[in-house]
């Protein structure tokens, strides 16, 4: 809906065009995304419950994993339920306020995933490279700090982009070629000057990616060097196996960034944004519980106990 202003027209709502405008594909998309949503909520919910109820898993590594699962569960919940409701009701509209709120939380939860992966890499570095000092270094106070800081920074990033977006006007069209309110398509839709927004998006985006990735790279270089110095083959395998789940998630996360945003075949920005959003907000949160539960003996044991108890 377009709303007249003093000199020009602004919008009071947006139209989310979704992933496809073909009527025959809507049922397939509904079933597919409903299935992925239920799997994601169940998988991440079980991981949080298992960690919370099993005292053996009350360690820094699983504290960070529980936070990652909560962030993944929240990330998919910001976009998919609204998308499913729109398909079911055949309504594409979302109010301006709801759109901005959705954008804020979608940014926050994707960013916190990134920071938590860096924190988890540091935890593995300390556990493998300084095993005797692990409990001394990873004190409860530091663990709480390493948990709180990603949440504070991610909300600061989301708040920065939101505050910069609020003054912008949307006067030519209110149709977003997306299944939820994402920052990049909103900036392209605006009729205001978005140079500052795009510059901040670039600088902050690079910082958010570069810092955790550098920490991950540093941690795994040191881990590999420490493991290669071990003479026992069994010890090497055990050390690498403790990092396997985290490394798989890291490759999935950063592989998505490279594949979507640096691959020359995705030339159309709308297609790129949609593919990136599906991978970050739907596929990655769905895959993470499988990666951690299938590759982790402690996690499998805790999930088995939880299911048997129920």
């Amino acid at each position: 809906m377009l709303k007249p202003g003093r000199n020009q027209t602004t919008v009071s709502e947006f139209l989310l065009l979704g992933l496809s405008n073909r009527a025959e594909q809507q049922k397939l998309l509904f079933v597919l995304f409903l299935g992925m949503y239920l799997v994601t909520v169940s998988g991440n919910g079980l991981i949080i419950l298992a960690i919370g109820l099993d005292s053996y898993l009350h360690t820094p590594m699983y504290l960070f994993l529980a936070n990652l699962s909560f962030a993944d569960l929240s990330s998919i919940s910001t976009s998919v339920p609204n998308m499913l409701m729109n398909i079911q009701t055949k309504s594409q509209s979302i109010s301006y306020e709801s759109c901005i709120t959705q954008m804020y939380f979608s940014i926050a939860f994707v960013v916190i995933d990134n920071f938590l992966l860096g924190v988890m890499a540091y935890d593995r570095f300390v556990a493998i490279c300084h095993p005797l000092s692990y409990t001394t270094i990873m004190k409860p106070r530091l663990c709480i700090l390493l948990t709180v800081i990603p949440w504070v920074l991610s909300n600061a990033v989301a708040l920065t982009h939101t505050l910069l977006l609020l003054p912008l006007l949307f006067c030519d069209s209110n149709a977003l070629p997306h299944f939820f309110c994402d920052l990049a398509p909103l900036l392209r839709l605006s009729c205001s000057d978005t140079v500052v927004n795009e510059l901040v998006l670039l600088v902050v985006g690079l910082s958010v990616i570069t810092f955790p990735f550098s920490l991950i790279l540093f941690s795994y270089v040191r881990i590999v060097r420490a493991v290669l110095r071990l003479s026992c083959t069994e010890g090497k395998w055990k050390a690498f196996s403790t990092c396997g789940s985290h490394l798989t998630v890291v490759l999935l996360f950063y592989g998505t960034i490279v594949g979507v945003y640096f691959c020359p075949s995705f030339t159309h920005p709308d297609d790129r944004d949609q593919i990136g959003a599906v991978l970050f907000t739907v596929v990655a949160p769905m895959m993470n519980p499988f990666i951690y539960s299938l590759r982790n003996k402690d996690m499998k044991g805790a999930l088995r106990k939880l299911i048997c108890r129920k």
Side-chain angles (χ1 to χ4, degrees):
M1 181 179 176
L2 297 175
K3 182 171 67 178
R6 289 182 181 177
N7 301 318
Q8 51 193 314
T9 306
T10 57
V11 299
S12 60
E13 64 179 26
F14 293 99
L15 296 178
L16 297 173
L17 301 183
L19 294 172
S20 173
N21 55 8
R22 296 180 182 179
E24 65 273 13
Q25 292 181 347
Q26 297 306 305
K27 282 187 178 180
L28 176 62
L29 285 172
F30 182 85
V31 172
L32 182 64
F33 276 81
L34 177 62
M36 289 194 290
Y37 181 68
L38 292 175
V39 169
T40 304
V41 171
S42 303
N44 285 290
L46 281 172
I47 283 180
I48 294 168
L49 273 175
I51 292 170
L53 296 175
D54 193 335
S55 58
Y56 182 72
L57 299 182
H58 292 177
T59 62
M61 173 183 169
Y62 292 106
L63 169 67
F64 303 140
L65 176 57
N67 274 267
L68 183 71
S69 292
F70 180 75
D72 284 341
L73 196 154
S74 303
S75 178
I76 196 171
S77 297
T78 60
S79 56
V80 172
N82 186 69
M83 174 196 177
L84 295 174
M85 187 177 68
N86 287 354
I87 293 174
Q88 194 67 15
T89 59
K90 295 180 172 60
S91 170
Q92 296 177 314
S93 64
I94 182 171
S95 68
Y96 177 85
E97 292 78 11
S98 298
C99 186
I100 299 301
T101 304
Q102 190 181 58
M103 184 204 74
Y104 176 93
F105 285 110
S106 67
I107 293 171
F109 291 125
V110 170
V111 171
I112 196 170
D113 262 19
N114 198 20
F115 283 127
L116 283 172
L117 289 175
V119 169
M120 292 169 82
Y122 175 73
D123 174 71
R124 292 300 81 207
F125 156 69
V126 176
I128 292 171
C129 297
H130 305 283
L132 299 177
S133 307
Y134 181 76
T135 52
T136 308
I137 297 171
M138 300 300 289
K139 290 180 180 178
R141 184 181 295 179
L142 179 62
C143 292
I144 292 168
L145 200 63
L146 290 174
T147 305
V148 171
I149 287 175
W151 285 98
V152 172
L153 290 177
S154 62
N155 278 279
V157 170
L159 185 62
T160 300
H161 289 307
T162 304
L163 292 176
L164 287 172
L165 185 79
L166 289 176
L168 301 184
L169 295 172
F170 300 89
C171 45
D172 298 326
S173 172
N174 66 337
L176 274 174
H178 216 302
F179 68 97
F180 76 99
C181 292
D182 202 6
L183 178 59
L186 281 169
L187 292 180
R188 284 196 293 274
L189 194 66
S190 174
C191 54
S192 301
D193 184 5
T194 60
V195 173
V196 174
N197 300 73
E198 289 167 3
L199 183 63
V200 171
L201 179 61
L202 178 65
V203 173
V204 173
L206 285 174
S207 303
V208 162
I209 292 169
T210 304
F211 179 72
F213 183 74
S214 301
L215 183 58
I216 292 166
L217 194 62
F218 165 80
S219 299
Y220 275 103
V221 167
R222 295 293 300 273
I223 286 169
V224 169
R225 285 174 59 187
V227 170
L228 290 177
R229 282 200 294 264
L230 294 174
S231 56
C232 177
T233 307
E234 188 181 343
K236 289 180 182 180
W237 173 250
K238 187 178 178 182
F240 277 128
S241 66
T242 62
C243 303
S245 301
H246 177 261
L247 194 56
T248 306
V249 173
V250 167
L251 291 172
L252 177 65
F253 189 88
Y254 288 100
T256 300
I257 292 174
V258 173
V260 174
Y261 297 102
F262 294 95
C263 183
S265 60
F266 298 132
T267 52
H268 198 281
D270 291 337
D271 293 340
R272 183 195 65 200
D273 291 338
Q274 288 186 5
I275 292 165
V278 169
L279 291 172
F280 279 123
T281 64
V282 181
V283 176
M286 182 182 69
M287 293 301 295
N288 287 354
F290 290 103
I291 294 167
Y292 277 103
S293 60
L294 292 175
R295 295 183 61 90
N296 189 305
K297 288 181 182 179
D298 294 336
M299 200 69 245
K300 279 193 282 189
L303 288 170
R304 203 176 292 116
K305 280 188 209 172
L306 180 65
I307 292 165
C308 291
R309 185 185 299 181
K310 292 202 170 191

